[in-house]
């Protein structure tokens, strides 16, 4: 049971251990996720606002195939960081990690910080735009980009960026030893079995909805629903655009890249027939080929990364939804335990009245009555402690969830700015290059003499 001084979330590294501090210098990053501090005394800082102690800038690069000529071959990635967080022992930690190390990191951060929105890892089976096996350059680059985004999300989180496991992920030279130690001795208080564990899940989950919903969390869930609906619709529309632009679609007549290529071949064929304008027609054919290549290049460098980032953002929102659902579950646990306590208390009162009636009738078994009442009183005391613990846990989880929504909102805004900015830059690059190609062909076409 929780004492008055116990913290429901004491697995969170709220206070960083003593470590040397590093001067960020004039080039220290700013913006959501990179704040130096948000002290409670600062103007506008509320009780549910997150607090950053510094910045953490991460990167994933240099994928290398290890044990290349063996059946145990795998790909390792160089993970590095730049930070002024005091929990780190160096301002520029780095290490090589494989995909399974990222899986371990993600799984155990989720266990250690259940109230935090831990970002998901890239789906191993969602690589439809990548050709080749898992050791192909295309596959390794796509996974590198996905893992880079995963670490970026962790680094923007004010709690996860200060976790000891993330520090070990970047710094430890004996990572496998760290993993075994973390599994054997996870952070936080030891789990003790009590009345909550003895009550079946059927009781605690008898109702699928919170009986007394909090309007704040209802509004959050509605916002998540609308956001995900917008992401799904955008993903569907841009997937349709991609299929109509890039080759590989099964629908004939909807492949612009292939259509421009076929048109270039047709114009080139006309050049052989029209001897007087063969050269201008060949130039026009080459322009069509260049435009077709530009469409394909834009799909690969702009549209595909946009769609992948869009789907990743949707999965990130699902992780946020899971935290909201878990908060509801904590409240339902408290409500169901409260009802259970009320039922046991009523049973004790009925037994007491029945015993009084039996005593008046002369049918009172004093020893059995006393033992029964003792057991009921002990059960009520245990349930009262459990209800108090559930209430404290529910309140603490609600407070953490409010902070998490602010953190997630910051991260979402930063990612949408990056994602839409990259899309706009890619489209501008495409149209500028296309205009240059068509501008070059206009003088050549104008030189064709037409005798009237």
């Amino acid at each position: 049971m929780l004492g008055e001084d116990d913290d429901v979330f004491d697995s969170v590294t709220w206070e960083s251990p003593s470590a040397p501090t590093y001067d960020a210098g004039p080039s220290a990053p700013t913006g959501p996720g990179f704040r130096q501090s948000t002290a409670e005394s600062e103007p506008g800082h509320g009780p549910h606002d997150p607090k950053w102690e510094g910045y953490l800038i991460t990167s994933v690069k240099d994928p290398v195939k290890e044990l290349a000529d063996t059946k145990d071959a795998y790909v390792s990635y160089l993970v590095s960081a730049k930070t002024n967080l005091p929990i780190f022992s160096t301002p520029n930690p780095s290490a090589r990690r494989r995909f399974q190390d990222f899986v371990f990191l993600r799984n155990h951060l989720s266990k250690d910080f259940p109230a935090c929105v831990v970002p998901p890892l890239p789906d191993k089976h969602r690589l439809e735009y990548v050709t080749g096996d898992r050791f192909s350059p295309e596959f390794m680059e796509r996974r590198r980009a996905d893992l880079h985004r995963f670490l970026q999300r962790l680094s923007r989180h004010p709690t996860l960026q200060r976790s000891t496991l993330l520090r070990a992920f970047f710094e430890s030279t004996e990572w496998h030893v760290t993993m075994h130690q973390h599994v054997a001795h996870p952070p936080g208080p030891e789990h003790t079995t009590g009345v909550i564990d003895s009550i079946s899940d059927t009781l605690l989950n008898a109702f699928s909805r919170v009986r007394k919903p909090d309007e704040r969390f209802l509004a959050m869930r509605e916002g998540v629903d609308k956001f995900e609906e917008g992401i799904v619709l955008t993903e569907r529309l841009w997937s349709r655009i991609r299929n109509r632009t890039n080759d590989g679609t099964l629908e004939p007549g909807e492949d612009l890249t292939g259509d421009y290529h076929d048109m270039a071949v047709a114009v080139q064929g006309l050049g052989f027939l029209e001897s007087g304008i063969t050269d201008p027609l060949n130039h026009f054919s080459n322009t069509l080929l260049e435009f077709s290549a530009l469409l394909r290049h834009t799909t690969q460098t702009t549209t595909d990364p946009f769609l992948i980032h869009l789907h990743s953002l949707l999965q990130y929102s699902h992780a946020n939804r899971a935290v909201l659902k878990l908060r509801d579950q904590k409240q339902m646990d408290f409500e169901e335990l409260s009802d259970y306590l009320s039922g046991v208390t009523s049973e004790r009162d009925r037994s007491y009245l029945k015993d009084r009636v039996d005593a008046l009738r002369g049918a009172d078994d004093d020893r059995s009555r006393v033992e029964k009442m003792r057991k009921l009183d002990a059960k009520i005391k245990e349930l009262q402690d459990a209800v108090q613990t559930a209430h404290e846990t529910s309140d603490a989880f609600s407070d953490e969830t409010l902070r998490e929504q602010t953190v997630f909102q910051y991260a979402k805004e930063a990612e949408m700015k990056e994602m839409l900015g990259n899309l706009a830059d890619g489209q501008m690059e495409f149209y500028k290059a296309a205009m240059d190609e068509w501008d070059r062909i206009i003088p050549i076409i104008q030189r064709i003499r037409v005798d009237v």
Side-chain angles (χ1 to χ4, degrees), residues 14 48 63 80 84 87 116 221 235 291 374 409 427 429 444:
W14 298 115
H48 298 132
S80 57
N84 67 346
I87 193 173
C116 290
R221 186 179 292 274
E235 184 180 20
F291 188 71
R374 187 189 66 80
Q409 185 65 25
Q427 293 296 307
E429 179 184 346
I444 297 175

Side-chain angles (χ1 to χ4, degrees), residues 148-166:
H148 176 78
R149 184 177 298 117
F150 168 73
L151 285 187
Q152 270 191 329
R153 289 168 173 170
L154 291 180
S155 68
R156 286 178 174 143
H157 197 286
T159 299
L160 299 178
Q161 68 171 195
R162 292 181 283 122
S163 68
T164 55
L165 186 60
L166 185 62

Side-chain angles (χ1 to χ4, degrees), residues 1 190-199 382 386:
M1 301 303 171
E190 294 185 3
H191 179 72
T192 57
T193 58
V195 67
I196 297 180
D197 301 303
S198 65
I199 300 175
E382 186 178 12

Side-chain angles (χ1 to χ4, degrees), residues 24-60:
S27 61
T30 58
F34 301 120
R35 303 186 175 194
Q36 296 302 295
S37 67
T38 48
E40 294 183 2
S41 59
E42 291 182 1
H45 183 85
H48 298 132
D49 289 337
K51 178 181 179 182
W52 282 268
E53 288 189 357
Y55 68 83
L56 176 64
I57 306 174
T58 61
S59 68
V60 179

Side-chain angles (χ1 to χ4, degrees), residues 91-368:
N92 297 291
S94 65
R96 295 204 72 88
R97 299 288 180 250
R98 58 187 297 181
F99 183 76
Q100 291 304 318
D101 297 331
F102 286 85
V103 173
F104 179 91
L105 175 66
R106 200 270 168 188
N107 290 343
H108 284 270
L109 284 178
S110 298
K111 294 178 181 177
D112 298 343
F113 304 95
C116 290
V117 181
V118 180
L121 279 169
D123 190 345
K124 296 177 68 173
H125 304 290
R126 187 179 173 83
L127 292 168
E128 65 266 42
Y129 304 135
V130 179
T131 57
D133 60 20
R134 64 191 181 100
F135 296 117
S136 67
E138 295 84 2
F139 183 94
M140 290 192 295
E141 172 56 25
R142 180 59 51 79
R143 174 158 286 179
R144 182 209 64 79
D146 289 338
L147 295 176
H148 176 78
R149 184 177 298 117
F150 168 73
L151 285 187
Q152 270 191 329
R153 289 168 173 170
L154 291 180
S155 68
R156 286 178 174 143
H157 197 286
T159 299
L160 299 178
Q161 68 171 195
R162 292 181 283 122
S163 68
T164 55
L165 186 60
L166 185 62
R167 179 193 63 186
F169 184 80
F170 281 103
E171 292 186 350
S172 178
T173 57
E174 298 180 344
W175 172 245
H176 293 289
V177 175
T178 302
M179 290 195 296
H180 290 306
Q181 291 176 343
H182 194 85
V183 172
H185 305 286
E190 294 185 3
H191 179 72
T192 57
T193 58
V195 67
I196 297 180
D197 301 303
S198 65
I199 300 175
S200 67
D201 290 338
T202 303
L203 173 65
L204 293 180
N205 298 297
F207 296 90
S208 59
R209 298 193 177 207
V210 175
R211 297 183 190 178
K212 297 180 180 179
D214 190 318
E215 293 296 330
R216 296 173 299 176
F217 298 108
L218 288 178
M220 289 177 187
R221 186 179 292 274
E222 182 180 356
V224 170
D225 290 340
K226 291 181 178 179
F227 175 73
E228 291 184 358
E229 287 175 6
I231 292 291
V232 169
L233 178 60
T234 305
E235 184 180 20
R236 184 185 307 124
L237 292 174
W238 273 92
S239 295
R240 189 183 307 166
I241 292 172
R242 183 201 185 276
N243 291 335
R244 289 178 176 176
T245 302
N246 196 54
D247 54 355
T249 179
L250 299 178
E251 296 294 332
E254 292 190 355
D255 181 355
L256 288 179
T257 303
D259 289 345
Y260 276 106
H261 182 276
D262 294 343
M263 185 178 177
V265 174
V267 171
Q268 188 178 43
L270 287 176
F272 293 121
L273 299 176
E274 303 294 334
S275 58
I277 55 174
T278 298
D279 186 61
L281 288 178
N282 284 339
H283 278 87
F284 194 86
S285 175
N286 290 335
T287 300
L288 289 171
L289 289 175
E290 289 295 330
F291 188 71
S292 175
L294 275 175
L295 283 171
R296 184 178 294 106
H297 175 75
T298 302
T299 297
Q300 295 170 351
T301 60
T302 301
T303 307
D304 286 354
F306 174 72
L307 282 169
I308 291 171
H309 196 164
L310 203 62
H311 185 77
S312 176
L313 191 57
L314 179 63
Q315 297 300 109
Y316 197 12
S317 182
H318 289 343
N320 181 44
R321 180 189 292 275
V323 170
L324 289 173
K325 183 177 181 181
L326 185 57
R327 191 221 69 87
D328 289 347
Q329 183 60 57
K330 299 299 181 183
Q331 183 175 341
M332 285 192 291
D333 290 348
F334 166 66
E335 292 175 347
E336 294 303 319
L337 276 171
S338 298
D339 286 350
Y340 190 40
L341 172 61
S342 178
V344 174
T345 303
S346 298
E347 180 185 355
R348 183 195 61 180
D349 294 341
R350 287 193 301 270
S351 297
Y352 179 79
L353 291 175
K354 182 177 181 297
D355 292 340
R356 292 296 88 198
V357 172
D358 290 342
L360 293 175
R361 292 176 178 175
D364 182 28
D365 186 347
D366 187 63
R367 286 180 299 176
S368 63

